[in-house]
Each structure stands twice: as structure tokens, then as C-alpha cells.
């Protein structure tokens, strides 16, 4: 007998819509299948068989995150096929800071009302993020929440699991004075600081499509640009260079995140003129009249990832990163001190 509950539907939850969503997302999930996946969606758990054969001491590393209030822009623009990329990126970009290769991802979508086509669009983005990260989407959950959130709203979160051989784990312990900091450019604001962004622009249906001379697209479209995924360029670099430390520049910007890659007694000295600040950040600072210190303590400012390498590996590293599509730049160097980060003129 086909599952159906008229009483539950009258309470606001249509379980048949859930089944329709599953059918619509199967083609997207199928794109993410990699060696190790041993189950399809629809079971009570996602099954994955990791390959340990070339590892001395395999370590599993996990990361979880959501998209934050950036999701409000997706509602206003009625565009839902990229927000899932953000959800994946915020997790996998953290995991790779340890040198871990992402293996699989699971999502959680809480939605006011299950519109199958909208859910499928969200999952399409999640699958695209997984494809770009070379990890599998092995499962997830869509929970209909009538009365808890408006019918046209939702929230997306997820988590990923990666693996690294312990002797190859990146923990910053090899970092030393004289090492060079290389920045990998961001695609925009990514998925951090949007409470401030929304306050600065007063973002609503009347302002979402505002234009600014510095931007080549309307404001909303610029801000909704998905978070860049760094898995492929980082692992291309790891194959040939000993990366000593990695920092994902997320909420808290330079001042909060770069110190997380440093060991005691070391400071990151960054030359401000080397930072490839994107136009959107200039607009945010100007319109919001935000102090420069706050900008660097909230946003990525055009740099989504920072890696530290030996000074003798700098040119090779830049060559590899650029060959893999990254506009990599030398930001500065590691020096003695306990200041965390120094951004100098």
C-alpha cells in the first residue's frame, strides 16, 4: 500500500511531496557517486567504504556548517540552485585545512512547505558542490516544518567527512619564520558576514536589484555568487609541495582565521597592497561607512584561502595553483611574534 496520511497533510506535512522530492533529486545525487559509495538514497543511513590500503594511520576529519543569512537573498531572488554549493563549500573548505580529502557529504534541509521542484533545485546545488569537491552525496534529510517557518522559506546545513594519513596531516607544526603566505582568491563575500551586509544595504525586495558603478552585476546577483571550492587546487598543490599550514578565511576574516594556522611565537605579516580586494568589499565599506579594521575582521576581502609554504617553494606553488585555475598571490610572510596578524601598508 502506498504511504499516505490525509490527517498529516491537513496538519501541514505532505509526505507524498517528500517522495516526489526524492525522485527528482536522484539524478543529481547520481552525479556525485565515487568509489566507496555502497548505498543509494532512501535508506536510514548513507553507507561509504573508505580505502585505507595506502595509509599508515588513517584519520577521519569532519566538518559541519550552514549557509547563514545569505539564504535570505535566495528567497528574494527566487533562485535556489546555488545555495547548496555554499553549504558544501563551508564544510569541505574547512576539512581540507588539515590536508583531508573529502569523502562524503550529507545535507539537512528544513523547509516551511515541501515544494518538490524547489527542494530539487537546492539539492542540485549541493550535488554540484560535491562534484566540484570530488566527494559523494550519500544522503540527507528534508524536514517540513509547518508553523515553525513561512511556507516559502527554508534553511540548509550539512556536514562532510574527510580522511588523511596522520603522517601527512597539516597542523602547522612545521611552520617557521620566513615561510611565505600565498592567498587563493575568493569568488565574493562567500557565506560569511551577511547579517552586516544585509544591514548595510537594507536588503529587501526594493533594494536587492540595486546597481553600483563598481559592480558588473546587480547587487543581489553579486552577493549570491556561490562560495568558491578549493579542494582540487589544494590537492594539486599537495601532490608536489609540502604545505605547512592552511587557513580557510570565513567569518572573522583575516584577524580571526589566519592565527588559527599559526603556532605560538609566530605572526602572519600581510602586505595590504598585495591583497586582491574585490569591488564588492569596496562597495560594502563605502555604503556602510565601515572601518577598515572591521572589514578585515568580518570578510574575506578577496582571499578565501591562505596557504603557507617554504620560501623556496613559492614560485612552484604559484605555478601549480594558477595552472589549476587559481589567481594565487603572495600575501606576505611568517615572522616572529605573538600579534596573530599584522596588515601593513
Amino acid at each position: 500500500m502506498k504511504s499516505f496520511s490525509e490527517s498529516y497533510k491537513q496538519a501541514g506535512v505532505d509526505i507524498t511531496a517528500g517522495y516526489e522530492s526524492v525522485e527528482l533529486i536522484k539524478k543529481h545525487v547520481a552525479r556525485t557517486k565515487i568509489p566507496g559509495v555502497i548505498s543509494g538514497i532512501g535508506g536510514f543511513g548513507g553507507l561509504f567504504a573508505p580505502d585505507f590500503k595506502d595509509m599508515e594511520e588513517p584519520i577521519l576529519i569532519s566538518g559541519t556548517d550552514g549557509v547563514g543569512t545569505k539564504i535570505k537573498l535566495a528567497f528574494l531572488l527566487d533562485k535556489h540552485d546555488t545555495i547548496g554549493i555554499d553549504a558544501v563549500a563551508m564544510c569541505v573548505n574547512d576539512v581540507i585545512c588539515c590536508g583531508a580529502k573529502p569523502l562524503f557529504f550529507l545535507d539537512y534541509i528544513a523547509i516551511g512547505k515541501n515544494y518538490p521542484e524547489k527542494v530539487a533545485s537546492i539539492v542540485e546545488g549541493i550535488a554540484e558542490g560535491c562534484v566540484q569537491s570530488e566527494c559523494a552525496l550519500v544522503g540527507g534529510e528534508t524536514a517540513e516544518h509547518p508553523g515553525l517557518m513561512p511556507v516559502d522559506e527554508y534553511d540548509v546545513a550539512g556536514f562532510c567527512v574527510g580522511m588523511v594519513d596522520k603522517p601527512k596531516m597539516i597542523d602547522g607544526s612545521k611552520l617557521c619564520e620566513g615561510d611565505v603566505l600565498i592567498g587563493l582568491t575568493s569568488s565574493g563575500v562567500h557565506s560569511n558576514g551577511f547579517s552586516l551586509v544585509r544591514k548595510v544595504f537594507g536588503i529587501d525586495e526594493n533594494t536587492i536589484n540595486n546597481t553600483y558603478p563598481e559592480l558588473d552585476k546587480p547587487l543581489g546577483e553579486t552577493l549570491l555568487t556561490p562560495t568558491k571550492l578549493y579542494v582540487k587546487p589544494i590537492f594539486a598543490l599537495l601532490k608536489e609541495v609540502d604545505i605547512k599550514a592552511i587557513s580557510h578565511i570565513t567569518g572573522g576574516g583575516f584577524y580571526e582565521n589566519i592565527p588559527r594556522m599559526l603556532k605560538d611565537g609566530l605572526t602572519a605579516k600581510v602586505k595590504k597592497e598585495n591583497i586582491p580586494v574585490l569591488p564588492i568589499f569596496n562597495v560594502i565599506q563605502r555604503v556602510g561607512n565601515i572601518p577598515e579594521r572591521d572589514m578585515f575582521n568580518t570578510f574575506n576581502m578577496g582571499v578565501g584561502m591562505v596557504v603557507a609554504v617554504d620560501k623556496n617553494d613559492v614560485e612552484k606553488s604559484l605555478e601549480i595553483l594558477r595552472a589549476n585555475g587559481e589567481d594565487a598571490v603572495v600575501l606576505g610572510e611568517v615572522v616572529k611574534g605573538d600579534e596573530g596578524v599584522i596588515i601593513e601598508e
Side-chain angles (χ1 to χ4, degrees):
M1 179 182 293
K2 186 176 180 180
S3 178
F4 174 75
S5 171
E6 181 62 35
S7 298
Y8 208 7
K9 183 176 181 180
Q10 291 177 3
V13 178
D14 185 356
I15 56 177
T16 59
Y19 302 144
E20 185 178 346
S21 296
V22 171
E23 290 303 312
L24 290 175
I25 68 176
K26 281 183 177 179
K27 62 182 180 182
H28 301 305
V29 175
R31 295 179 58 218
T32 75
K33 189 172 183 179
I34 62 173
V37 176
I38 56 175
S39 68
I41 59 172
F44 288 102
L47 307 182
F48 192 92
D51 183 0
F52 300 134
K53 69 176 183 297
D54 295 322
M55 294 194 169
E56 297 177 30
E57 192 174 351
I59 302 291
L60 295 178
I61 299 176
S62 58
T64 185
D65 209 338
V67 181
T69 63
K70 180 177 184 176
I71 213 159
K72 294 286 286 187
L73 278 74
F75 303 158
L76 288 167
L77 292 173
D78 194 23
K79 179 175 172 54
H80 312 285
D81 60 346
T82 63
I83 209 75
I85 298 175
D86 291 291
V88 175
M90 297 309 294
C91 297
V92 300
N93 286 344
D94 277 353
V95 164
I96 64 175
C97 289
C98 299
K101 181 73 173 66
L103 298 176
F104 59 84
F105 185 87
L106 286 92
D107 65 80
Y108 179 81
I109 303 170
I111 194 164
K113 180 175 175 59
N114 190 334
Y115 297 105
E117 292 80 9
K118 180 182 286 188
V119 171
S121 186
I122 298 167
V123 175
E124 179 182 1
I126 293 170
E128 176 60 26
C130 289
V131 169
Q132 291 186 34
S133 305
E134 299 181 330
C135 72
L137 178 58
V138 296
E141 173 71 12
T142 300
E144 202 166 5
H145 287 169
L148 185 62
M149 58 178 64
V151 296
D152 58 345
E153 294 190 2
Y154 59 86
D155 195 15
V156 182
F159 80 93
C160 70
V161 173
M163 183 170 65
V164 64
D165 198 2
K166 189 174 182 180
K168 298 179 180 179
M169 189 163 62
I170 299 171
D171 59 8
S173 61
K174 298 178 182 179
L175 203 64
C176 61
E177 181 184 10
D179 287 337
V180 175
L181 304 171
I182 295 176
L184 282 65
T185 57
S186 70
S187 57
V189 183
H190 283 183
S191 297
N192 307 106
F194 271 88
S195 293
L196 178 55
V197 168
R198 288 167 47 240
K199 178 178 182 292
V200 166
F201 295 108
I203 290 180
D204 58 19
E205 62 276 4
N206 298 313
T207 61
I208 189 71
N209 289 313
N210 283 355
T211 59
Y212 295 87
E214 299 95 327
L215 306 179
D216 58 4
K217 298 177 181 178
L219 179 63
E221 190 178 347
T222 299
L223 292 171
L224 198 60
T225 301
T227 305
K228 185 185 285 189
L229 290 142
Y230 297 99
V231 177
K232 291 180 180 179
I234 287 294
F235 277 87
L237 185 59
L238 272 171
K239 288 180 180 179
E240 301 187 53
V241 173
D242 181 17
I243 300 177
K244 297 191 176 186
I246 306 178
S247 178
H248 181 201
I249 311 302
T250 57
F254 278 48
Y255 287 107
E256 183 173 322
N257 291 290
I258 293 180
R260 296 166 69 179
M261 70 190 284
L262 304 172
K263 61 183 182 181
D264 291 344
L266 294 177
T267 293
K269 186 166 70 172
V270 176
K271 289 185 179 293
K272 189 167 69 172
E273 64 181 17
N274 291 357
I275 300 170
V277 178
L278 294 172
I280 183 60
F281 296 110
N282 294 325
V283 176
I284 292 169
Q285 184 173 7
R286 173 171 57 80
V287 175
N289 192 28
I290 300 173
E292 184 177 79
R293 177 64 165 73
D294 288 357
M295 291 294 295
F296 279 98
N297 210 156
T298 306
F299 302 110
N300 67 63
M301 299 302 287
V303 177
M305 188 77 72
V306 176
V307 300
V309 300
D310 186 276
K311 60 184 179 182
N312 295 316
D313 288 328
V314 173
E315 291 307 316
K316 183 178 182 180
S317 297
L318 292 173
E319 182 181 331
I320 292 168
L321 290 169
R322 289 167 181 168
N324 282 271
E326 290 300 322
D327 296 321
V329 297
V330 173
L331 292 175
E333 63 179 335
V334 177
V335 299
K336 289 184 178 179
D338 293 305
E339 294 91 339
V341 178
I342 299 171
I343 301 177
E344 63 176 16
E345 297 293 339

